[in-house]
Amino acid sequence: MSGPSAPHGRRVAAVVVLLPVLVALALCAFAWPAARTSARDLPLGVAGPPAAITQVEQRLAQREGAFEIHRYADEAAARDAVEDRTVYGAVVAGDRGTKLLTASAAGPSVAQLLRQAVTGQASATGTPVQVVDVVPAPEADPRGAALGASVLPLALAGIATGAVVTLLGWRGVRAAVAVAGAAASTGVAAAVVAHSWLGVVTGDWWAVAGAFGLSTLAAGAGVAGLGALLGRAGIGLGAAVIMLLGNPFSGASSAPEMLPRPAGAIGQWLPPGAGGSLLRSVSFFEGAAATGPALTLTWWSLLGLGAVLLGGVLRQRAPGASPAPDRTPAPAA
């Protein structure tokens, strides 16, 4: 069978086959990490007398592969490690019982998991456990839902910025300035809503606005850079990476160590995951452990904007490109 209906039939067949495949991939990307959430080498500190620490480590080792143990000399050192985001919590063993230091601001679900693990084991031996929240989550968002939910809007804002700039045909410096300007304004707007109005993030206002803006810039520059080099296919590729990998693998609602391997590690190399970690650090921990995610977002931004500038140069040098208009004034009659 040939004729005009043949291409139409092939398009219909492609849609019928590709749509279920795309839906299956999206479900795998989002449902797989959610269904396999569990502690995997979660950094946890222990402090106290050597004999007591050994007993604590033996009890924690029963949850095979769940915790990565860090030893500290005393409670003060363990508390500093929690505040520096070196560990998510610490078990302090002493003669009067066990004290569990947590940081619900680092992830309420992680703090709850530590509480269940430590108090459950201590109750079996009859040892009292005192739980101290060293860095509590804000009262306006005790479950951390708002911070986790902020990842998706920032990713969408970045994708939309890169797509609009590409589809409008903006190239070179003009496109780079548009992407950077949109990211800066998005960061300010997000800080006004999340910090000033809702109060779900705290810390220095400008640092929070900068974290929001840098997250948007990384995603927007990445999409715009791929669009400048590959056209509309680049927009689709960038959006797919950020949405299908970056968003579900970000670990913003829990922690990267709570996701199945290698999802947590991959997520921290993408704008949504790095942006969520940076926002948590500057909001609740005075910038502790912010260097890694800030560098990741900066590299995404620089490489993306560099690709935007390179795409503009290549487009100008491409065969058949329209020459720049002659702006030389015409001679007087």
Side-chain angles (χ1 to χ4, degrees):
M1 180 179 179
S2 60
S5 61
H8 178 72
R10 284 194 292 268
R11 295 191 188 99
V12 172
V15 171
V16 171
V17 173
L18 290 178
L19 185 58
V21 172
L22 293 176
V23 172
L25 291 175
L27 285 175
C28 290
F30 282 86
W32 171 55
R36 297 292 185 267
T37 299
S38 179
R40 296 171 177 84
D41 291 332
L42 190 75
L44 178 64
V46 293
I53 287 180
T54 301
Q55 293 180 359
V56 172
E57 290 178 340
Q58 290 175 351
R59 291 196 297 266
L60 293 174
Q62 296 176 3
R63 300 172 64 102
E64 185 177 356
F67 302 110
E68 178 185 277
I69 304 301
H70 297 248
R71 285 196 173 195
Y72 297 99
D74 51 25
E75 179 180 345
R79 184 181 293 265
D80 291 340
V82 174
E83 294 175 346
D84 292 339
R85 300 201 69 188
T86 304
V87 294
Y88 284 92
V91 182
V92 181
D95 298 334
R96 298 182 179 180
T98 302
K99 181 182 292 187
L100 172 63
L101 306 179
T102 64
S104 58
S109 61
V110 178
Q112 182 180 4
L113 180 144
L114 294 178
R115 227 174 355 250
Q116 293 174 348
V118 176
T119 57
Q121 293 178 351
S123 62
T125 59
T127 305
V129 177
Q130 178 186 2
V131 181
V132 179
D133 198 348
V134 177
V135 187
E139 296 181 359
D141 186 27
R143 297 181 179 180
L147 189 143
S150 66
V151 171
L152 179 59
L154 295 178
L156 291 175
I159 292 172
T161 299
V164 169
V165 167
T166 303
L167 295 176
L168 288 178
W170 294 353
R171 306 293 177 187
V173 176
R174 183 184 184 187
V177 171
V179 172
S185 60
T186 299
V188 171
V192 168
V193 173
H195 191 292
S196 303
W197 177 36
L198 297 178
V200 296
V201 293
T202 58
D204 182 76
W205 193 93
W206 287 108
V208 170
F212 278 127
L214 186 57
S215 300
T216 307
L217 177 61
V223 173
L226 289 172
L229 297 177
L230 304 177
R232 295 192 177 186
I235 298 176
L237 177 61
V241 170
I242 293 173
M243 285 300 299
L244 295 182
L245 295 180
N247 191 54
F249 292 0
S250 66
S253 59
S254 56
E257 293 84 358
M258 297 289 289
L259 302 180
R261 296 186 181 94
I266 293 174
Q268 293 305 298
W269 286 100
L270 298 175
S277 296
L278 177 62
L279 181 61
R280 199 181 293 277
S281 292
V282 301
S283 297
F284 310 125
F285 294 88
E286 299 180 352
T291 302
L295 289 176
T296 299
L297 296 174
T298 300
W299 277 113
W300 270 86
S301 302
L302 293 178
L303 292 175
L305 294 178
V308 169
L309 298 176
L310 177 62
V313 172
L314 295 177
R315 183 61 61 92
Q316 291 178 355
R317 295 181 178 179
S322 57
D326 186 6
R327 301 184 182 275
T328 305

Coordinates of all heavy atoms in Angstrom, one line a residue, residues 144-192:
G144 N 9.5 19.2 55.9 CA 10.3 19.4 54.8 C 9.7 19.3 53.4 O 10.4 19.1 52.4
A145 N 8.3 19.3 53.4 CA 7.6 19.1 52.2 C 7.8 20.2 51.2 O 8.0 20.0 50.0 CB 6.1 18.8 52.4
A146 N 7.8 21.4 51.7 CA 7.9 22.6 50.9 C 9.3 22.7 50.2 O 9.4 23.0 49.0 CB 7.6 23.9 51.7
L147 N 10.3 22.4 50.9 CA 11.7 22.5 50.3 C 11.8 21.4 49.2 O 12.3 21.7 48.2 CB 12.8 22.3 51.4 CG 14.2 22.5 50.9 CD1 15.0 23.2 52.0 CD2 14.9 21.2 50.5
G148 N 11.3 20.2 49.5 CA 11.3 19.2 48.5 C 10.5 19.5 47.3 O 10.9 19.2 46.1
A149 N 9.4 20.2 47.5 CA 8.5 20.6 46.4 C 9.1 21.7 45.6 O 8.6 21.9 44.4 CB 7.1 21.0 46.9
S150 N 10.0 22.5 46.1 CA 10.6 23.6 45.4 C 11.5 23.1 44.2 O 11.8 23.9 43.3 CB 11.4 24.5 46.3 OG 12.5 23.8 46.8
V151 N 11.9 21.9 44.2 CA 12.8 21.4 43.2 C 12.2 21.4 41.8 O 12.7 21.9 40.8 CB 13.4 20.0 43.5 CG1 14.1 19.4 42.3 CG2 14.2 20.1 44.7
L152 N 10.9 20.9 41.7 CA 10.2 20.9 40.5 C 10.0 22.2 39.8 O 10.2 22.4 38.6 CB 8.9 20.1 40.6 CG 8.1 19.9 39.4 CD1 8.9 19.2 38.3 CD2 6.8 19.1 39.7
P153 N 9.4 23.2 40.5 CA 9.2 24.5 39.9 C 10.5 25.2 39.4 O 10.5 25.8 38.3 CB 8.6 25.4 41.0 CG 8.0 24.4 41.9 CD 8.9 23.2 41.9
L154 N 11.6 25.0 40.1 CA 12.9 25.6 39.6 C 13.3 24.9 38.3 O 13.8 25.5 37.4 CB 13.9 25.5 40.7 CG 13.7 26.3 42.0 CD1 14.8 26.0 43.0 CD2 13.6 27.8 41.6
A155 N 13.2 23.5 38.3 CA 13.5 22.8 37.1 C 12.7 23.2 35.9 O 13.2 23.4 34.8 CB 13.4 21.3 37.4
L156 N 11.4 23.4 36.2 CA 10.5 23.8 35.1 C 10.8 25.2 34.6 O 10.8 25.5 33.4 CB 9.0 23.7 35.6 CG 8.5 22.3 35.8 CD1 7.1 22.4 36.4 CD2 8.4 21.5 34.5
A157 N 11.1 26.1 35.6 CA 11.5 27.4 35.2 C 12.8 27.4 34.3 O 12.8 28.2 33.3 CB 11.7 28.3 36.4
G158 N 13.8 26.6 34.7 CA 15.0 26.6 33.8 C 14.7 26.0 32.5 O 15.2 26.5 31.5
I159 N 13.9 24.9 32.4 CA 13.6 24.3 31.1 C 12.8 25.3 30.3 O 13.1 25.4 29.1 CB 12.8 23.0 31.3 CG1 13.7 21.9 32.0 CG2 12.2 22.5 30.0 CD1 12.9 20.7 32.4
A160 N 11.8 26.0 30.8 CA 11.1 26.9 30.1 C 11.9 28.0 29.5 O 11.8 28.5 28.4 CB 9.9 27.4 30.9
T161 N 12.8 28.5 30.4 CA 13.7 29.6 29.9 C 14.6 29.2 28.8 O 14.7 29.9 27.7 CB 14.6 30.1 31.1 OG1 13.8 30.5 32.2 CG2 15.5 31.2 30.7
G162 N 15.2 28.0 28.9 CA 16.1 27.6 27.8 C 15.3 27.3 26.5 O 15.8 27.6 25.4
A163 N 14.1 26.7 26.7 CA 13.3 26.4 25.5 C 12.8 27.7 24.8 O 12.9 27.8 23.6 CB 12.1 25.6 25.9
V164 N 12.3 28.7 25.6 CA 11.8 29.9 25.0 C 12.9 30.7 24.2 O 12.8 31.2 23.1 CB 11.2 30.8 26.1 CG1 10.9 32.2 25.5 CG2 9.9 30.2 26.6
V165 N 14.1 30.8 24.9 CA 15.2 31.4 24.2 C 15.6 30.8 22.9 O 15.9 31.4 21.9 CB 16.4 31.5 25.2 CG1 17.7 31.9 24.5 CG2 16.2 32.4 26.3
T166 N 15.6 29.4 22.9 CA 16.0 28.7 21.7 C 14.9 28.9 20.6 O 15.2 29.1 19.4 CB 16.2 27.2 22.0 OG1 17.2 27.1 23.0 CG2 16.6 26.5 20.8
L167 N 13.6 28.7 21.0 CA 12.6 28.8 20.0 C 12.4 30.2 19.4 O 11.9 30.4 18.3 CB 11.3 28.3 20.6 CG 11.2 26.8 21.0 CD1 9.9 26.5 21.7 CD2 11.4 25.9 19.8
L168 N 12.8 31.2 20.2 CA 12.7 32.6 19.7 C 13.8 32.9 18.7 O 13.8 34.0 18.1 CB 12.7 33.6 20.8 CG 11.4 33.7 21.7 CD1 11.6 34.7 22.8 CD2 10.2 34.1 20.8
G169 N 14.8 32.0 18.6 CA 15.9 32.2 17.7 C 17.0 33.1 18.2 O 17.8 33.6 17.5
W170 N 17.0 33.4 19.5 CA 18.0 34.2 20.1 C 19.4 33.5 20.2 O 19.4 32.3 20.5 CB 17.7 34.7 21.5 CG 16.5 35.6 21.5 CD1 15.8 36.1 20.4 CD2 15.7 36.1 22.6 NE1 14.8 36.9 20.7 CE2 14.7 36.9 22.1 CE3 15.9 35.9 24.0 CZ2 13.8 37.5 22.9 CZ3 15.0 36.6 24.8 CH2 13.9 37.4 24.3
R171 N 20.4 34.1 19.8 CA 21.7 33.5 19.8 C 22.8 34.3 20.5 O 22.6 35.5 20.8 CB 22.2 33.3 18.3 CG 21.2 32.6 17.4 CD 21.0 31.1 17.8 NE 20.0 30.5 17.0 CZ 19.6 29.2 17.2 NH1 20.1 28.5 18.2 NH2 18.6 28.7 16.4
G172 N 23.9 33.7 20.8 CA 25.0 34.4 21.3 C 24.8 35.1 22.6 O 24.1 34.6 23.5
V173 N 25.4 36.3 22.7 CA 25.3 37.1 23.9 C 23.9 37.4 24.3 O 23.5 37.4 25.5 CB 26.1 38.4 23.7 CG1 26.0 39.3 25.0 CG2 27.6 38.0 23.4
R174 N 23.0 37.7 23.3 CA 21.7 38.0 23.6 C 21.0 36.9 24.4 O 20.3 37.1 25.4 CB 20.9 38.4 22.3 CG 19.5 38.8 22.5 CD 18.8 39.0 21.2 NE 17.4 39.5 21.4 CZ 16.6 39.7 20.4 NH1 16.9 39.4 19.1 NH2 15.4 40.1 20.6
A175 N 21.2 35.7 23.9 CA 20.6 34.5 24.5 C 21.1 34.3 25.9 O 20.4 34.0 26.9 CB 20.7 33.3 23.7
A176 N 22.5 34.4 26.1 CA 23.1 34.2 27.4 C 22.6 35.2 28.4 O 22.3 34.9 29.5 CB 24.6 34.3 27.2
V177 N 22.5 36.5 28.0 CA 22.0 37.5 28.9 C 20.5 37.2 29.3 O 20.1 37.4 30.4 CB 22.1 38.9 28.3 CG1 21.4 40.0 29.1 CG2 23.6 39.2 28.1
A178 N 19.7 36.8 28.3 CA 18.3 36.5 28.6 C 18.2 35.3 29.6 O 17.4 35.4 30.6 CB 17.6 36.1 27.3
V179 N 19.0 34.3 29.5 CA 19.0 33.1 30.4 C 19.4 33.6 31.8 O 18.8 33.2 32.8 CB 19.8 32.0 29.9 CG1 19.9 30.9 30.9 CG2 19.2 31.4 28.6
A180 N 20.5 34.3 31.9 CA 21.0 34.8 33.2 C 20.0 35.7 33.8 O 19.8 35.6 35.0 CB 22.4 35.4 33.0
G181 N 19.5 36.6 33.1 CA 18.5 37.6 33.7 C 17.3 36.9 34.2 O 16.8 37.2 35.2
A182 N 16.7 36.0 33.4 CA 15.5 35.2 33.8 C 15.8 34.4 35.1 O 15.0 34.4 36.0 CB 15.1 34.3 32.7
A183 N 17.0 33.8 35.2 CA 17.4 33.0 36.4 C 17.5 34.0 37.6 O 17.0 33.6 38.7 CB 18.7 32.3 36.2
A184 N 18.1 35.1 37.4 CA 18.2 36.1 38.6 C 16.8 36.5 39.1 O 16.6 36.5 40.3 CB 19.1 37.2 38.2
S185 N 16.0 36.9 38.2 CA 14.6 37.3 38.6 C 13.8 36.2 39.2 O 13.1 36.4 40.2 CB 13.9 37.9 37.4 OG 13.7 36.9 36.4
T186 N 14.0 34.9 38.7 CA 13.4 33.8 39.3 C 13.9 33.5 40.7 O 13.1 33.2 41.6 CB 13.6 32.5 38.4 OG1 13.1 32.7 37.1 CG2 12.9 31.3 39.1
G187 N 15.2 33.7 40.9 CA 15.7 33.5 42.3 C 15.1 34.5 43.3 O 14.8 34.1 44.4
V188 N 15.0 35.8 42.9 CA 14.4 36.8 43.7 C 13.0 36.5 44.0 O 12.5 36.5 45.2 CB 14.6 38.2 43.1 CG1 13.8 39.2 43.9 CG2 16.1 38.6 43.0
A189 N 12.2 36.1 43.0 CA 10.8 35.8 43.2 C 10.6 34.6 44.1 O 9.7 34.6 45.0 CB 10.1 35.6 41.8
A190 N 11.4 33.6 43.9 CA 11.3 32.4 44.7 C 11.6 32.7 46.2 O 11.0 32.2 47.1 CB 12.2 31.3 44.2
A191 N 12.6 33.5 46.4 CA 13.0 33.9 47.8 C 11.9 34.7 48.5 O 11.6 34.5 49.7 CB 14.3 34.7 47.8
V192 N 11.2 35.6 47.7 CA 10.1 36.3 48.3 C 9.0 35.4 48.7 O 8.4 35.6 49.8 CB 9.6 37.4 47.2 CG1 8.3 38.0 47.7 CG2 10.6 38.4 47.0

